[in-house]
Amino acid sequence: MITITTPTGNIGRRLIERLAFAGKPLTIVARHPEKLPRSLLEGEIVRQASSDDAAALSRATEGTDVLFWLTPANFAAPNVRAWYRKAADAVSRAVRINRIPRIVNLSSIGANWADGLGPISGLHDVECALNDAAKDVYHLRPGFFMENFLTQLDSIRRDGKLHWLYPGHTRMPMIATRDIAEAAAARLTDHAWKGHGVLGLLGPTDLTLDEAVKTLAVIVGRPMKNVQFTPDEFRRVSQGCGMSHDFAESYIEMSVTLNRLNWTHIGEPRTPETTTPTTLGTWASHVLIPLVKVA
Ligand SMILES: NC(=O)c1ccc[n+]([C@@H]2O[C@H](COP(=O)([O-])OP(=O)(O)OC[C@H]3O[C@@H](n4cnc5c(N)ncnc54)[C@H](OP(=O)(O)O)[C@@H]3O)[C@@H](O)[C@H]2O)c1
């Protein structure tokens, strides 16, 4: 049995579509099962658990042969590292109790860094805990999600100013989450791999934010430009959005380190295997444009 967590997220949603279409029987573990489409509630086994609830996760993952695990960010966490450690502990206990033999773990570029990368260093803890809990674990380490542009939809519609903690000349590997779901589906259904593996997922090419926004502006047909937040501006805005003080600081730490070290140097090298097909233009046509049009 394949078990999928975070089924309402960017990746989980696409992964389930892909696997259900291929006729794979699934167990779906959701924090809020009521949010799932009726077709899944009627057609698949659905169980309820939060990512940090060890007892509920152990019950929900019973009978699992291969687990897709994704540790969600918790923007309200008063202690970000403690959140990741609690989730790491919960999933590794479930893996041990249910003797789950194989895990595909959605991690991040940079998760090989134990410290200094904010939430990404939290994902490092999750990787280590899963490696301790099972013999066969595959960590997927994607770069910057193209879906991050969707967090700026209101600005795209309003004045075209996109705010980041990164300068516009920052070059980063940008990937569509549908390509991440595709890579996860391939590992979940492939019984041949063994041991502790890591795969960087880097999109078709590295782009600066300025290059990306130039492309998006042409495709969407609206002027757009990047604006870099200072850490203090970010602190002020994040407080207004309900982000905890610690998460804001953790996010600032991540951006400072990424700006200093350079995204393209912290992760796995670009190779045919780490390069994925969906271009920013294709992503924008399929995903961004329909959402910009919905006023
Ligand atoms: N953004 C990037 O550029 C980037 C780059 C590399 C790695 N990542 C990693 O990618 C992951 C995010 O993936 P995504 O974009 O697919 O997720 P997403 O769209 O942000 O969705 C989050 C998912 O997690 C679920 N969730 C949230 N809190 C939960 C909890 N306490 N217990 C159980 N489920 C919970 C949500 O379910 P509900 O319906 O219950 O809310 C939803 O299904 C994170 O681990 C992030 O660190 C992101």
Side-chain angles (χ1 to χ4, degrees):
M1 176 64 79
I2 301 176
T3 298
I4 309 289
T5 60
T6 65
T8 55
N10 289 310
I11 299 163
R13 187 160 38 91
R14 290 174 170 86
L15 180 57
I16 286 172
E17 278 165 19
R18 164 77 171 66
L19 292 172
F21 183 75
K24 303 286 176 196
L26 302 174
T27 295
I28 295 174
V29 179
R31 173 174 63 164
H32 295 302
E34 70 281 4
K35 284 191 188 172
L36 292 171
R38 183 184 286 233
S39 57
L40 286 182
L41 290 170
E42 287 170 358
E44 310 293 346
I45 300 168
V46 175
R47 295 174 178 159
Q48 196 279 332
S50 180
S51 309
D52 60 336
D53 182 340
L57 262 183
S58 297
R59 286 192 297 275
T61 55
E62 225 172 278
T64 299
D65 300 307
V66 53
L67 172 68
F68 172 74
W69 176 256
L70 182 153
T71 314
N74 181 349
F75 301 109
N79 180 328
V80 173
R81 204 70 190 251
W83 159 258
Y84 284 101
R85 289 197 174 127
K86 197 166 176 213
D89 179 58
V91 65
S92 52
R93 278 169 63 182
V95 165
R96 284 197 177 93
I97 286 170
N98 293 320
R99 296 198 167 83
I100 299 174
R102 298 167 78 70
I103 300 134
V104 175
N105 174 42
L106 192 285
S107 186
S108 173
I109 189 168
N112 43 319
W113 292 66
D115 286 301
L117 276 174
I120 298 177
S121 299
L123 294 175
H124 171 87
D125 296 343
V126 178
E127 285 197 4
C128 294
L130 287 172
N131 286 344
D132 285 347
K135 273 211 316 276
D136 295 326
V137 188
Y138 212 108
H139 304 288
L140 302 177
R141 292 187 182 158
F144 181 94
F145 293 2
M146 293 177 188
E147 275 71 10
N148 292 338
F149 290 103
L150 301 182
T151 64
Q152 312 251 356
L153 262 181
D154 286 345
S155 308
I156 292 172
R157 292 194 194 109
R158 192 176 51 240
D159 58 10
K161 289 187 186 157
L162 279 63
H163 291 84
W164 314 98
L165 274 164
Y166 309 104
H169 59 75
T170 302
R171 190 168 289 283
M172 46 179 81
M174 288 190 196
I175 181 161
T177 54
R178 77 176 190 196
D179 288 354
I180 303 174
E182 195 59 38
R187 266 70 199 177
L188 288 166
T189 53
D190 172 4
H191 307 288
W193 59 267
K194 292 257 176 284
H196 294 163
V198 168
L199 179 67
L201 291 170
L202 305 178
T205 186
D206 299 337
L207 290 171
T208 68
L209 281 172
D210 284 343
E211 288 165 349
V213 157
K214 212 165 145 190
T215 300
L216 295 179
V218 171
I219 291 173
V220 175
R222 289 171 188 239
M224 285 186 212
K225 70 180 239 187
N226 293 304
V227 179
Q228 187 181 5
F229 271 140
T230 64
D232 275 345
E233 284 167 339
F234 180 76
R235 285 184 184 103
R236 209 170 41 246
V237 171
S238 61
Q239 256 184 3
C241 304
M243 191 181 277
S244 73
H245 169 78
D246 198 53
F247 197 93
E249 293 308 319
S250 171
Y251 208 76
I252 290 167
E253 176 187 74
M254 174 181 76
S255 64
V256 167
T257 309
L258 287 171
N259 287 338
R260 183 166 50 84
L261 292 179
N262 189 332
W263 284 70
T264 49
H265 291 154
I266 63 156
E268 285 62 43
R270 182 171 289 284
T271 63
E273 211 193 357
T274 60
T275 298
T276 52
T278 305
T279 63
L280 187 66
T282 304
W283 174 83
S285 305
H286 286 99
V287 181
L288 180 63
I289 289 188
L291 292 171
V292 172
K293 283 186 180 154
V294 179

